[in-house]
Amino acid sequence: MVNRTELENKVIPYKILLETLQNTYDLVDSILLDNTIPSLKIGLKYLIQNIEANIEKAGDGLPVVGHHFAFQSEYLDCFDVVPICIEGTSYILSALLPDGVEKYYDLMRNWGHPFHTCSSQKGVMGMTLDDLFRFDAIICPTAPCDNTMASYPYFKYQADVPMVLPDMPFIHKEKSFKYYAKQIKKGLEDLGKIIGQKPDWDELKKHLEIDNKSINTQLEIFELKKAIPCPVENFYNAMSAAVTIFMAGKEEKVKYYDEMLESAKNNYRKKKHHGGEEKIRCIFPYMLIFFDLGLCEWLDRELGMSILFDIFNYNFTKPIRTTDSLDTMFYDMARKGMEFPMMKQSTDFYYNFIDDCVNMAKEFKSDCFIFTMHIGCKQFGSVVQVLREALRDETGIPVLMLDLDVGDKRMTSMKVLRDKISLFAQTLL
Amino acid sequence: MSLTNDKFLNISNSIKNSYLDEWKNNKKKVLGYYCTYIPEELFYAAGFLPYRIRATGHELDELADIYMVRFTCGFVRLTLDLALRGGYDFLDGLFITNCCDHARRMYELYDLVVFKRKEIKQKPPQFYVALPHVINEDGFEWYLDEIKLLKEQIEQEYTLKEIDNSQLKEAIKIYNENRSLLREIYNLRTLDNPKLTGSEFLQISMANTSVPKEIANNELRRILEIIKNSKDLSNNRKRIMLVGSVVDNINFTKLVEDSGAIIVSDFLCFGERNILDDVDLNGDLLENIAKRTYYRMSCPRMMDDHKKRYDFLLKEIERAKVDGVILQRINNCDLHGCENMLLEHELKDLGIPSLNIDREAFLTDTTRLQTRIEAFYEMIK
Ligand code: SF4
Ligand code: SF4
Ligand code: SF4
C-alpha cells in the first residue's frame, strides 16, 4: 500500500510552499505591528489554510490535477482533486523562496527550454523534470500566448501526463463564449474520464456561488481606490493575484476581500495613505514584479507611489448565473474565463485594452503608467508604444516600460529597476 | 541549362517583381498575409493576389524598434520595418490569423500605424480569422464558420457580389496544380542524387508566393523541365533536413549547404509543410478549402498535434535518407523553440543526429553558426 507521505510527495513544491508561507507568516506576525500590511497578514493566513488543505488531499490519494492559471481552479471543484496552478506555483515560489525558483528554470533551460520562453511555466516544468510534481492530469485552455501553446506539450510528450485542452477562440464575439462554454464542459467531462470521476455540477455550482460573493467586494475596493490618497496598500494587488489564483471558489477568498474592504474603508475614512503621503498615483496595466514583491512596499514608503492596480485587479466579470440552466452557467463561466486578467487582453485585438487604460487613467486620476514588459509575453510586445501614444494624446501622462522577466531576478537587476523607477518618479514630481 | 540566375528564382531576392507590377497595372488587388494558415483559394477566387509578406534582404529594424520590443521575432520585426518604410504600400488588403503572438499583432500595427501613414491614400481592408489551436471536429466547425464569415466580408467589402462556385473551382484547380508541381520539384531534392539544392527550392517557393499562381504554374513547369534535364548534384555531401522557424533568406540555407551539406528535406512553412495537402474538388468547395487549411500538416501553433508532426518527420528522414537534422529557431520564437526542444530529445532517443540552434532573422552571427554547423557535420561523419 502506498503510504501517506509518498502520496504527499506527489506535490513536494507545495510542501516547500507551505513551509515558506508559515515562516513568512511567523516573521510578519512577530515583527510587524498589527495591521501594518493588512493584505500580507490576512492573505498569508488564508493561503496557508488553502495549501495545507491541498497537501492533506494529496495525502488522501486524490488525483493531482495541474491547471493553467486561466482555467480557474473553482471550475475543478466539480471533482475531488488537488488543483495545482502551474503558473501560480512557479511565481509564488519565486516570490517567497530566498533563491527564487532559478534552480528549476536552469534545469529546464539545460533541457532545451528557450531562455525567452515564459518562466511561469518553466518553473513547474523544471520541478516536474526533477520529479517533485507528479501530475495525474493537466487541463489548459489554448490561450493566452505562444508560451502556453509551446510549453504545455512538454508535460504531455515528455512527462507523460494526460492533457485536456479546451480550445479558447482568439476573438471576443457572442459565438466565442458559446463555443468556449462547450469546450469547458467537454473538457471537464474528458478530465473526469482520465481521473475516474464524474463531474458533479451541483458541487461546481456551490463553488461558483461562493466565488460570486467576492465580486461586489472587489468592486467596492476598486471604487475606493479612486479616492486620494489611495486607501489600499500596494501589496494588496500582489496578494489579490495569489488569492484569485489559489483560492477561487473558496470561502477564504470571500473572507480575504471582506477583511480588506474593512481595512480600505477605515483608511478611506481617515484619509490615510499606507506610505504616509501619496505623491504619485500609478497604474501597472500589466503584471507586478513577482520576484521582488518588496517593490510594493518600497514604492509606497520610499516614493509615496500608489499602485492603484495591476492587471489582476481591474478585470471584473459579472457573477455567474447558477440558478438558470446548465447552459447559462457554462456560458457565464466561458465569459469569465475569456475575460480573466490577461486572457481578455490577449485573446482579442488590443483596442479595448488601450481604451480601458485611457479611461482608467482618467477615472482614477493616475499620474503615470509602469508597464512591466515580461519577456514571455510576446503578445504584448507591440502594445507598449501604441499605449504610450494613446495615453500621451488623451491624458498627457507618461509610461515607463521595464523590460524584464517578472519571475527571474537574474535578467534585470532589481537595483537597475528601482533606479529606473526613481528617475521616472523624479520627472513626475 | 541551370537554375543559376533564373528569372523566376530571382524574384525571391526582392519584394516586388514585374508580374506583381503587371497585376497592379491591370487594376487588380494584392492581399498581404503572414502565415500559411490562409484560405488562399478563396482570396484568389475573389480576384486578390495573395502575397506572402517577407523581408528578404531587408536589414534595418530601427523603425520597428519603436513599435515592437526587442524580444519579439526578428522576421516579423523586419517586415514591420519594411512596411513602415513604404515597402508594402502596394498592398490593397491584409489578412491576419492568430498564427503566433508576433505576427497576429500585425493586425493592430498595420491598422494603427502602417496604414495610417500619410503615404496611404485609402486604408486597405483588413481580414481576420480566428483559428483554433487544436485539431478536432468542434474546432473545424468553428473554423468553417469563420471562413463563411470571411467570404461574406470579402463579398461585402471587396467583390460586391457573390464569389460563386465556378470561381472557387477554378482557384482550387490552379492551387492544387501549383502544389502538385512544387511537390514534384521537391521530390527531386530527396533523390539519392539530388537535382537541386535546398537554397534553390527555397527561392522557388518564395517566388511562388509573390506572383499570380497561373504565372507561377507556367514557371514551375518550365523549371521542372530544367531540373529534370540537369546533371545530378554531387552525392557525397551530408544530407540534411532543415526544421523550424520561417526562413526567408537563402543566406541561411547557403550557410548550411556551403559547409559541406545539402538540404534534401525540410519542415518549414516556406517549404514542404505547405504543399503536402490539396483541396478536394468534389462536394462543398468552401468547406473543402476550410478543411485543407485546418487539417493540413500543422506547425507548432497547433497545440495538440506534435505527435503527427514528429511521425511525419521520421518518415521524411527515412524517405530522404537524411544524415542529420538541423533544428533552428529565430530568437524569441517560442513555438519553434519548444517544438525543437521536444524533437531534439526524441531524435536523440532514436540515435538520429540533430543540432538545435537559435539565430537572428537577418544573419548577423554567421561565424558562430558556421562553427556549430561544421562541428555537427564532423560529428555525423
Ligand atoms: S501570458 Fe505572459 S506571463 Fe502569462 S503564461 Fe503567457 S507569456 Fe507567461
Ligand atoms: S510556422 Fe506556423 S504559425 Fe508560423 S507562420 Fe508558419 S504556418 Fe504560420
Ligand atoms: S518564426 Fe516563429 S515567431 Fe516568427 S513569425 Fe514564425 S512562428 Fe512567429
Side-chain angles (χ1 to χ4, degrees), chain B residues 57-245:
Chain B
H58 189 69
E59 296 177 37
L60 304 171
D61 61 2
E62 290 87 349
L63 290 185
D65 262 356
I66 301 171
Y67 288 99
M68 285 180 91
V69 298
R70 295 257 10 143
F71 47 80
T72 43
C73 165
F75 164 73
V76 177
R77 292 163 57 79
L78 287 171
T79 64
L80 175 68
D81 195 275
L82 188 56
L84 289 168
R85 290 173 202 270
Y88 278 110
D89 284 358
F90 63 84
L91 294 183
D92 305 289
L94 179 73
F95 172 83
I96 295 286
T97 190
N98 52 323
C99 50
C100 69
D101 286 338
H102 315 248
R104 75 176 159 108
R105 289 307 198 191
M106 288 305 105
Y107 188 96
E108 291 98 321
L109 280 186
Y110 273 71
D111 184 24
L112 299 173
V113 188
V114 176
F115 290 155
K116 282 240 171 97
R117 288 160 44 252
K118 62 177 185 322
E119 291 83 355
I120 303 290
K121 305 272 169 304
Q122 199 188 348
K123 199 158 170 257
Q126 291 187 214
F127 305 95
Y128 174 80
V129 160
L131 172 68
H133 282 95
V134 289
I135 305 176
N136 58 35
E137 278 174 30
D138 293 339
F140 177 67
E141 212 179 293
W142 164 277
Y143 188 64
L144 179 59
D145 186 57
E146 286 281 284
I147 297 299
K148 285 181 182 163
L149 292 172
L150 173 68
K151 181 169 177 279
E152 279 171 29
Q153 190 196 348
I154 300 172
E155 288 165 346
Q156 278 159 19
E157 290 180 22
Y158 177 66
T159 57
L160 306 179
K161 59 179 184 352
E162 198 195 342
I163 303 163
D164 64 31
N165 257 342
S166 65
Q167 289 168 307
L168 287 176
K169 193 165 213 155
E170 193 49 33
I172 293 171
K173 275 188 191 159
I174 292 170
Y175 270 77
N176 279 352
E177 188 187 5
N178 185 261
R179 285 182 284 258
S180 152
L181 286 163
L182 281 170
R183 283 196 295 269
E184 255 192 89
I185 297 175
Y186 184 92
N187 287 336
L188 298 173
R189 285 165 76 180
T190 59
L191 298 173
D192 286 354
N193 295 313
K195 288 279 197 183
L196 74 162
T197 63
S199 302
E200 285 164 339
F201 185 81
L202 179 64
Q203 283 186 291
I204 295 169
S205 167
M206 286 198 288
N208 186 59
T209 61
S210 314
V211 301
K213 286 288 184 280
E214 286 105 324
I215 289 169
N217 287 353
N218 288 336
E219 289 291 319
L220 292 179
R221 273 189 288 270
R222 176 181 68 78
I223 283 169
L224 192 55
E225 282 316 303
I226 297 177
I227 301 173
K228 277 181 180 164
N229 294 318
S230 65
K231 277 202 277 179
D232 297 345
L233 299 174
S234 121
N235 65 356
N236 57 7
R237 293 199 258 173
K238 297 276 173 305
R239 296 170 69 88
I240 295 299
M241 180 177 201
L242 189 62
V243 177
S245 290

Side-chain angles (χ1 to χ4, degrees), chain A residues 187-255:
Chain A
L188 288 172
E189 285 162 354
D190 290 348
L191 179 62
K193 285 176 202 148
I194 296 170
I195 58 172
Q197 293 183 19
K198 206 170 166 284
D200 180 342
W201 302 142
D202 288 330
E203 195 59 24
L204 174 61
K205 260 186 207 171
K206 205 173 91 192
H207 287 276
L208 294 174
E209 280 161 8
I210 295 174
D211 209 69
N212 281 345
K213 287 199 268 182
S214 61
I215 296 176
N216 280 340
T217 327
Q218 280 176 274
L219 276 170
E220 259 191 83
I221 298 173
F222 186 62
E223 278 300 305
L224 281 171
K225 290 178 178 183
K226 285 183 183 161
I228 298 177
C230 175
V232 189
E233 72 271 18
N234 290 344
F235 199 84
Y236 163 83
N237 296 302
M239 191 51 88
S240 290
V243 168
T244 307
I245 300 285
F246 289 95
M247 293 183 224
K250 302 283 183 291
E251 287 294 351
E252 289 91 332
K253 179 176 172 189
V254 182
K255 287 184 203 155

